[in-house]
Amino acid sequence: MRHMAFELTRPKDRTTSVVFASPHSGRDYPASFMARAQLDEREIRSSEDAYVDQLFDAAPDHGAPFLTAQAPRAYVDLNRAPEELDPALIEGVRRLSHNPRVASGLGVIPRVVSNGRQIYRGKITLEQAHGRITQYWRPYHDQLQTLLDESRNAFGEAVLVDCHSMPHEALDNVGAAGAARPDVVLGDRFGAAAAGNIVEQIEAAFASAGLRVARNMPFAGAYITQHYGRPSRQQHAVQIEVDRALYMNERTLLPNGNFAAFRQLLTGVIAEIAEIGRVTPRRVAAE
């Protein structure tokens, strides 16, 4: 199923409560947006979770739906709340309270890409901002909640695996001096977004593939993990951040020589994670 805001690939048979999603791998850059930007294409794409949609695209083969964004993060950030509007970028927005993400230029309509580089020459209108939220943000999140509701109705629970990538340099100061850097960081809002046993099983899936895993540092999860992670309602959310250097050249934004092998490695991880939610479906009332 393809929508202007997202692409949804459903499995032939939905056999797991797990839902995979990639909100930051979109790369449909509107021409009007690029015309307003003062950065070139490579610079703008630096904020994109490039190729994450390809790395995790085996999810439907293991009974799980896979939802991917179409709009790029630099255009509208699906991992932010819709009210996180930046007055430094959007005309007519009042600063109501301090929000560190908005203050740094990383609101729902980003003002900057990585390393604080300004995207625009001037401001955009509030109408333009609301248009992006209406056309891209809301359809993506409506579809995501629908998938989670389907899992809860069929299996009694939903497990959202929110797939991202992180710059290699983001890990420079993680862990003790001289310690091995993590390859993957799991974010569960320090236990608030998912049951501990689910996070442990996801960590074990990556570890069994030979990957080093850390939790919540430096990424504990943002809006999506915070909003959808409701363990008390049997709705769990875990953010996955994968080191980009494992599969791509961060300077050229092209896959590196390890891409195919790493993608194959993740296929096994995906299968193990899908197994977490492979419980007998409940009979729905209609049956």
Side-chain angles (χ1 to χ4, degrees):
M1 174 184 178
R2 189 176 178 89
H3 182 281
M4 68 181 294
F6 61 81
E7 183 167 358
L8 171 61
T9 306
R10 290 184 177 272
K12 184 177 179 181
D13 296 306
R14 183 92 167 258
T15 60
T16 176
S17 64
V18 179
V19 174
F20 289 84
S22 174
H24 283 164
S25 57
R27 47 187 174 272
D28 289 350
Y29 289 85
S32 58
F33 168 67
M34 295 301 295
R36 287 286 310 274
Q38 62 180 354
L39 303 177
D40 61 32
E41 181 181 359
R42 189 189 63 79
E43 290 171 323
I44 289 178
R45 288 193 63 204
S46 65
S47 66
E48 182 185 305
D49 283 350
Y51 311 111
V52 167
D53 54 337
Q54 297 178 36
L55 292 177
F56 287 89
D57 66 1
D61 296 335
H62 299 281
F66 187 33
L67 181 69
T68 60
Q70 297 297 295
R73 180 185 187 181
Y75 187 68
V76 56
D77 193 336
L78 304 178
N79 201 18
R80 297 290 182 265
E83 61 269 17
E84 290 186 273
L85 297 170
D86 186 351
L89 172 65
I90 304 166
E91 295 173 353
V93 172
R94 293 170 52 200
R95 188 181 302 277
L96 300 178
S97 61
H98 179 71
N99 179 310
R101 290 191 294 254
V102 173
S104 64
L106 296 173
V108 66
I109 309 296
R111 172 166 39 93
V112 302
V113 294
S114 59
N115 298 320
R117 290 170 291 183
Q118 298 278 338
I119 298 173
Y120 302 90
R121 296 185 179 88
K123 288 192 171 187
I124 67 171
T125 67
L126 185 58
E127 181 181 14
Q128 289 172 323
H130 283 163
R132 296 183 195 183
I133 293 168
T134 299
Q135 293 173 13
Y136 295 96
W137 193 98
R138 296 201 183 282
Y140 180 90
H141 283 277
D142 286 348
Q143 183 61 69
L144 180 55
Q145 186 62 67
T146 295
L147 292 170
L148 297 175
D149 290 343
E150 290 172 358
S151 283
R152 289 170 62 194
N153 290 337
F155 300 95
E157 68 171 15
V159 179
L160 170 61
V161 177
D162 195 44
C163 306
H164 297 259
S165 66
M166 55 188 174
H168 185 70
E169 65 181 16
L171 305 172
D172 284 346
N173 299 313
V174 176
R181 302 162 67 103
D183 301 308
V184 176
V185 177
L186 304 182
D188 65 350
R189 306 289 298 179
F190 297 94
N197 66 315
I198 288 176
V199 183
E200 288 168 5
Q201 290 177 85
I202 293 175
E203 180 173 348
F206 283 101
S208 67
L211 297 170
R212 294 182 295 270
V213 185
R215 292 197 199 179
N216 293 308
M217 294 298 291
F219 304 106
Y223 172 79
I224 289 174
T225 314
Q226 183 175 18
H227 179 75
Y228 292 102
R230 295 289 184 267
S232 63
R233 302 178 194 171
Q234 298 303 309
Q235 181 171 287
H236 310 271
V238 179
Q239 177 178 280
I240 294 175
E241 296 275 1
V242 178
D243 183 358
R244 292 173 186 166
L246 293 172
Y247 62 90
M248 65 177 280
N249 182 313
E250 294 184 79
R251 184 181 60 80
T252 64
L253 302 180
L254 294 173
N256 64 23
N258 193 47
F259 182 85
F262 187 69
R263 185 184 185 190
Q264 184 61 39
L265 183 76
L266 285 185
T267 298
V269 176
I270 291 164
E272 287 195 40
I273 293 175
E275 197 65 33
I276 296 169
R278 205 171 310 284
V279 294
T280 303
R282 300 187 310 179
R283 289 189 176 272
V284 295
E287 294 179 340

